[in-house]
Amino acid sequence: MKQERAVRTRQALIHAAAEAFERNGYVQARLADISSSAGVSPGALHFHFANKAAVAEAVETAAAVSLRRAAQDVQHPGMNALQRLTGVTYALAELIRTDVVARAGFRLSCDAPHRPALDLVREWEDCVRRLLAEADRERLLADGVTQQDAADVVIGATTGFEALARRQPEWLQPGTLRRFWRLLLPRLTTAEALAVLLRADSAVGAGGHEGGDRPAPGTAAPPPSVFVTR
Amino acid sequence: MKQERAVRTRQALIHAAAEAFERNGYVQARLADISSSAGVSPGALHFHFANKAAVAEAVETAAAVSLRRAAQDVQHPGMNALQRLTGVTYALAELIRTDVVARAGFRLSCDAPHRPALDLVREWEDCVRRLLAEADRERLLADGVTQQDAADVVIGATTGFEALARRQPEWLQPGTLRRFWRLLLPRLTTAEALAVLLRADSAVGAGGHEGGDRPAPGTAAPPPSVFVTR
């Protein structure tokens, strides 16, 4: 019982810290404001976290856990590497757009002056490069398009959408990614691969994803259709 | 004479401030460090600037002047809108990569908690949208590619390259943009427009730009060739 309450308090502190970091930035966020927003005493905060850097690390760790899970949840057996890549971009953008802990943790990891334990930007770069290497092995990339060409534009644009969304949150809405992939995929992939992506896409669009028309509780919604404008 | 020295002191303070903002961030940069790096007394700093916000505003204004001039300098009569757009991306990336005042001023304008007088990110978005609207009027965009599709990917990727370069400066080297445009242009433009871009490009690559093979002092170097890997 005590244990459960401690877990809830810790989560409330992480959530309040994410909001404080988002509102004021890491340097200007105050521990006193974080504990009071979480509805606990400063002493309770210090029971869980030694200092502000420890709070920030907990926000980043929580963000890493949920971002990694979201990236996993949209990848299914039978999907090719480009389906995985597009699906992961939608899932991560949606999580960063709607979840303050994922958003603040990702942003702390981008520019933190406090030397982050995790490097979520680097992790995202590695994820894109790995999936594009798989796409290359699966012979999905068009003639003359190298992994590096494709990685630069995907990493650059997705990082840019996230950076732009700090000022205008609409940049992380699904429509941005849908336009991006509609523009890019016909250049990136072979005609055959594009046809497969279109077929898979319209199958998802027609309802049904992993055999059910509603995602199981706790799992991500199916990625939005790449080619169908909603 | 006195006037000249005042101008030099002001420029030295702006340069030292740009370095301090880049090193420590706006919030943690100290006016005492800025005046001492510029080789002047704290009193001399306060003669020019009332407070840190005024120093930051001067850095942003200096950045805006040089970024606007660089964007102008690469646009010549007879260039089509896509030649202008690619040229401007190279020129701005090079200036931000090599000039600490342009770089710090642009970044202050991106995330400053001090309410910037200028909004250089918005200015860049408007520049891209304006040139793509011109490209559309000049019938340079491929069938089915809208101005918004093109603007999203160009604004997203260039903003992302700048954000990534804060951690890894190589992202702003010309090779990144060359790969980006080589990947994107064949999808963005009509076959005819692409042929024009290729011809103009090889003319620049063959030496000679605006009638001379060396840029005039104080002007930007010709933009690197889009399609030729160096």
Side-chain angles (χ1 to χ4, degrees), chain A residues 67-207:
Chain A
L67 289 164
R68 286 174 193 149
R69 185 182 299 144
Q72 280 304 321
D73 282 353
V74 291
Q75 298 187 60
H76 302 288
M79 288 170 87
N80 73 34
L82 287 178
Q83 290 173 307
R84 291 174 197 269
L85 178 62
T86 55
V88 172
T89 60
Y90 284 107
L92 297 187
E94 194 60 12
L95 189 58
I96 288 173
R97 189 172 71 86
T98 57
D99 181 319
V100 70
V101 174
R103 186 163 63 241
F106 184 81
R107 288 171 186 177
L108 279 170
S109 165
C110 289
D111 33 46
H114 66 283
R115 315 234 159 275
L118 287 162
D119 188 338
L120 295 176
V121 181
R122 169 53 63 99
E123 212 170 297
W124 172 234
E125 288 186 42
D126 291 345
C127 172
V128 172
R129 290 187 204 286
R130 193 172 58 246
L131 285 167
L132 285 167
E134 279 180 41
D136 204 12
R137 278 196 299 276
E138 294 173 7
R139 306 197 176 281
L140 300 172
L141 298 186
D143 270 359
V145 171
T146 68
Q147 288 178 39
Q148 192 184 358
D149 293 345
D152 276 9
V153 65
V154 173
I155 293 166
T158 52
T159 303
F161 297 152
E162 194 282 317
L164 290 157
R166 299 179 192 202
R167 303 153 47 98
Q168 292 181 275
E170 312 84 70
W171 278 98
L172 280 183
Q173 278 176 349
T176 307
L177 282 170
R178 202 153 45 232
R179 283 193 298 276
F180 171 68
W181 286 119
R182 265 165 45 197
L183 189 73
L184 196 67
L185 282 174
R187 171 74 176 120
L188 219 56
T189 68
T190 62
E192 303 76 46
L194 189 63
V196 170
L197 284 165
L198 278 164
R199 268 203 305 279
D201 201 59
S202 64
V204 171

Side-chain angles (χ1 to χ4, degrees), chain B residues 100-125:
Chain B
V100 70
V101 174
R103 185 163 63 242
F106 184 80
R107 288 172 187 177
L108 278 169
S109 165
C110 288
D111 31 47
H114 67 282
R115 317 230 159 277
L118 288 162
D119 188 338
L120 295 175
V121 180
R122 168 54 63 100
E123 213 170 298
W124 172 235
E125 288 186 42

Side-chain angles (χ1 to χ4, degrees), chain B residues 127-146:
Chain B
C127 172
V128 172
R129 292 188 204 285
R130 193 173 55 245
L131 286 167
L132 285 167
E134 279 180 42
D136 204 13
R137 276 195 299 276
E138 294 172 8
R139 306 197 174 281
L140 300 172
L141 299 185
D143 269 0
V145 171
T146 68

